[in-house]
Amino acid sequence: MKPAIAPIWSRLGAAAETLRGRHLRDLFAADDGRFTALSTSWQGWLLDYSKQRIDADAMSLLTDLWRAADLPGWILRMRDGEAINHTERRAALHIALRHPASKGPILHAGQDVMPAVHAELEKVRRFCAEVHGRHWRGATGEPISDVVNIGIGGSDLGPRMATQALMAFRHPDLRVHYVANLDAADLATTLAALQPRTTLFIIASKTFTTQETMQNAASARAWLVQALGEAAVARHFVAVSTNLAEVARFGIDPANAFAFWDWVGGRYSLWSAIGLPLALAVGFDNFEKLLAGAHAMDEHFFTAPPHQNLPGLLALLEIWNTNFLGADTRALLPYSQSLGLLPRYLQQLEMESNGKPVDRQGQPLDHAVAPILWGEPGTNGQHAFYQLIHQGGRLIPCEFIACREPDFDLPGHHARLLANCFAQGEALMRGRTVAETTAELLAGGMAADEAARLAPFRSFPGNQPSTTLLLPRLDPHNLGALIALYEHKVFAESVIWDINPFDQWGVEYGKQLASRLLPIIEGRAAATGLDSSTTGLIAWSHAAAKRS
Ligand code: F6P
């Protein structure tokens, strides 16, 4: 741990001890001004964290971490294009991808990256205009009706999540599909409904070597070539990558390749040409609004003081819950069908970024980092796993997200959705004592002995912390700001935890072993030097293959 942080850390430990015996309902009862003190707003958004198990003293200590960890200095290092991803010797300049031309240069290795960023965006804009205007024709001269993005991880989750989030803004004449999984079921079921003549593939991969994407791309190519011949590839395949040499080797016309740069991490790449399928799905104007929203959040993160800084507050609250209350999980609960993929997207952003074992100096960490993030949109989750959150006896900080205005409106729906969202936060906070439950059962006409028998089952401990984030509406601008909010939350946490959020070495080992096992599974190499379990699994797969 950074030496400057240690004294604050131990005072936070003492603050957590003091608060341990206090129930959230008592904290609310003791202070009428709790909501006002522990909530903040920004551009019509509201962040209510008054239902966290926190008080003003602990909050003030948490905000002390901001300076002690030198967050302002790290923000400058990021903006100045320093190689803050030090294990890969790379900058992390995703903020440049949404930086307006009017706001001056952003330097990387002494060069302004903005001209290249805007040239590539212009290429995306022109391509969208061609496809939407039906000027881009397939090999048989027909316009494109379906786009299939083939990519995985950061080359899939961002545009996929945002395409669903912006369903209300979808282009009427174009369907956009996403294929990520190596399991052939993903590609095969997608292609089953499509015609090669009117289908355009985007092969999206930062490295252009990722096994899943390369296998799916090869199978998609074979599907197209079988129907339309080799010459059709140029009209039906485009690529987004930093590795343009590999793109050319795959047979994609370099004129149809969109570039980005090694200073953009995969899970931070939505704002680059990796957003092409999204721009096609919702139109380039809406994509630009998404970028503008993200930039607005960048400015807020860079300038707002910690107690008003939305990404900063979420980071500090997560640190409080993780490191001082002992939570090892966080439930992300958007009361929005359109934000249904947000938990999955944030799983990569948060857990791939901050699931790290050592600090920036390579020393084992002496504190916990990223909790396990999971979740589902409400109200569906209420009928699945909420039971455990209410009565399962575990500490599960919850993060509710809702919008004041619906993106799709049918009479009666939205008020009920909001009522459920707010009710869950209230129930988790208050709980219901055995005495309250008994009184309620008796008031409902239940016999006293039956009420006494049932009350323990029907009571709730409460004291489950939650945060509620309310947006005015789900539109491209607000979505851009929401995604950038979480990017900066992850960054702020990483600075305080003293870890590098921009590498992902843990993912590499599994990839390496899979490459070693493939020839054995395919029967091209002998299974030597493996543990008995792996040997047994491979033998089983061979026996199963012989039977079929
Ligand atoms: O899962 C590991 C990872 O390297 C992610 O960080 C990345 O987003 C994903 O693979 C896909 O990589 P690429 O865009 O290079 O195909």
Side-chain angles (χ1 to χ4, degrees):
M1 180 177 307
K2 290 176 181 171
I5 283 188
I8 306 172
W9 207 259
S10 60
R11 287 166 68 200
L12 277 163
E17 259 329 298
T18 312
L19 274 167
R20 201 173 295 281
R22 301 204 64 187
H23 196 287
L24 269 170
R25 63 156 69 187
D26 299 331
L27 293 175
F28 271 95
D31 179 8
D32 281 348
R34 187 171 169 85
F35 166 75
T36 312
L38 300 177
S39 63
T40 190
S41 55
W42 172 78
Q43 295 199 353
W45 296 29
L46 173 68
L47 179 73
D48 172 18
Y49 55 99
S50 59
K51 294 195 185 83
Q52 290 288 342
R53 287 194 212 164
I54 193 109
D55 64 6
D57 291 345
M59 217 47 232
S60 136
L61 280 172
L62 279 172
T63 53
D64 289 347
L65 287 174
W66 189 268
R67 289 228 158 261
D70 189 24
L71 233 319
W74 279 94
I75 288 173
L76 281 181
R77 270 168 225 140
M78 174 163 72
R79 295 171 72 174
D80 288 348
E82 264 186 44
I84 56 175
N85 175 2
H86 67 314
T87 59
E88 297 183 298
R89 299 186 191 281
R90 288 178 183 165
L93 267 180
H94 42 283
I95 54 155
L97 301 170
R98 58 245 190 170
H99 187 74
S102 57
K103 291 212 173 159
I106 290 196
L107 300 181
H108 175 249
Q111 294 275 320
D112 181 10
V113 298
M114 294 319 301
V117 167
H118 287 125
E120 219 51 37
L121 268 180
E122 174 57 19
K123 203 167 157 185
V124 170
R125 189 194 63 73
R126 278 201 311 268
F127 188 73
C128 289
E130 279 199 58
V131 174
H132 290 147
R134 300 163 76 88
H135 306 305
W136 180 280
R137 298 281 162 143
T140 59
E142 288 168 76
I144 298 302
S145 61
D146 293 88
V147 173
V148 181
N149 188 77
I150 295 181
I152 198 163
S155 300
D156 166 72
L157 289 166
R160 186 196 287 259
M161 176 277 288
T163 299
Q164 178 168 324
L166 299 178
M167 279 189 284
F169 298 82
R170 222 165 11 195
H171 192 280
D173 303 327
L174 199 65
R175 288 176 295 270
V176 177
H177 315 262
Y178 290 88
V179 170
N181 203 330
L182 192 48
D183 185 338
D186 199 359
L187 182 66
T189 54
T190 303
L191 295 185
L194 305 183
Q195 296 299 329
R197 302 185 320 277
T198 54
T199 300
L200 176 80
F201 292 96
I202 301 172
I203 311 302
S205 173
K206 180 176 173 183
T207 54
F208 227 73
T209 56
T210 303
Q211 191 188 39
E212 294 90 335
T213 301
M214 292 303 104
Q215 182 61 54
N216 277 323
S219 300
R221 195 181 196 283
W223 176 81
L224 184 98
V225 167
Q226 193 187 25
L228 302 178
E230 194 68 37
V233 171
R235 301 306 301 164
H236 292 266
F237 277 82
V238 301
V240 186
S241 186
T242 59
N243 188 352
L244 297 182
E246 274 304 316
V247 170
R249 233 188 305 281
F250 182 85
I252 291 175
D253 186 344
N256 301 331
F258 298 83
F260 63 113
W261 307 273
D262 73 358
W263 42 262
V264 182
R267 53 192 174 275
Y268 299 86
S269 63
L270 167 68
W271 326 99
S272 70
I274 286 290
L276 177 63
L278 172 65
L280 286 166
V282 301
F284 187 77
D285 289 353
N286 283 322
F287 186 66
E288 278 194 311
K289 289 180 188 159
L290 181 98
L291 299 183
H295 177 71
M297 183 55 75
D298 294 343
E299 293 286 293
H300 168 72
F301 176 60
F302 298 158
T303 55
H307 63 281
Q308 288 167 356
N309 193 305
L310 265 53
L313 283 167
L314 288 183
L316 296 173
L317 291 167
E318 180 129 288
I319 285 168
W320 173 252
N321 285 328
T322 304
N323 300 111
F324 300 98
L325 300 191
D328 53 15
T329 173
R330 173 169 123 255
L332 199 281
L333 307 166
Y335 274 64
S336 159
Q337 180 67 15
S338 303
L339 286 176
L341 293 177
L342 187 66
R344 211 200 283 181
Y345 168 77
L346 290 183
Q347 281 177 333
Q348 187 198 19
L349 181 64
E350 301 207 3
M351 298 204 281
E352 194 167 84
S353 296
N354 282 346
K356 300 294 164 62
V358 292
D359 66 16
R360 279 189 164 269
Q361 291 69 46
Q363 297 304 311
L365 291 173
D366 56 4
H367 52 79
V369 287
I372 301 156
L373 174 72
W374 55 285
E376 275 288 318
T379 60
N380 304 12
Q382 290 177 207
H383 302 275
F385 53 79
Y386 276 44
Q387 165 63 31
L388 184 144
I389 305 181
H390 282 292
Q391 290 188 307
R394 289 174 194 274
L395 174 61
I396 303 178
C398 295
E399 197 158 294
F400 298 102
I401 302 178
C403 300
R404 192 171 43 216
E405 291 167 25
D407 49 352
F408 291 89
D409 202 8
L410 290 174
H413 285 248
H414 199 62
R416 284 181 170 78
L417 188 68
L418 290 182
N420 273 279
C421 176
F422 301 164
Q424 289 300 324
E426 187 188 4
L428 290 170
M429 180 275 283
R430 288 182 56 78
R432 193 171 63 187
T433 63
V434 172
E436 284 169 339
T437 306
T438 309
E440 201 175 305
L441 295 177
L442 291 174
M446 193 177 277
D449 56 346
E450 188 64 352
R453 187 178 76 81
L454 288 180
F457 299 96
R458 298 177 63 161
S459 300
F460 303 81
N463 209 25
Q464 191 74 283
S466 70
T467 293
T468 304
L469 178 62
L470 297 178
L471 314 186
R473 69 195 70 80
L474 187 58
D475 59 18
H477 187 94
N478 282 325
L479 180 68
L482 184 69
I483 301 168
L485 163 86
Y486 283 106
E487 287 181 348
H488 294 316
K489 165 195 177 277
V490 165
F491 180 64
E493 287 172 347
S494 78
V495 171
I496 294 168
W497 282 329
D498 196 21
I499 55 179
N500 178 4
F502 299 114
D503 61 9
Q504 58 284 318
W505 298 107
V507 189
E508 300 305 321
Y509 187 44
K511 289 185 192 172
Q512 205 180 316
L513 294 194
S515 308
R516 201 188 59 181
L517 293 186
L518 179 62
I520 305 174
I521 290 176
E522 287 185 336
R524 294 183 280 115
T528 51
L530 300 176
D531 63 84
S532 61
S533 165
T534 309
T535 307
L537 295 172
I538 292 173
W540 180 90
S541 77
H542 284 163
K546 270 186 211 131
R547 272 200 306 276
S548 61

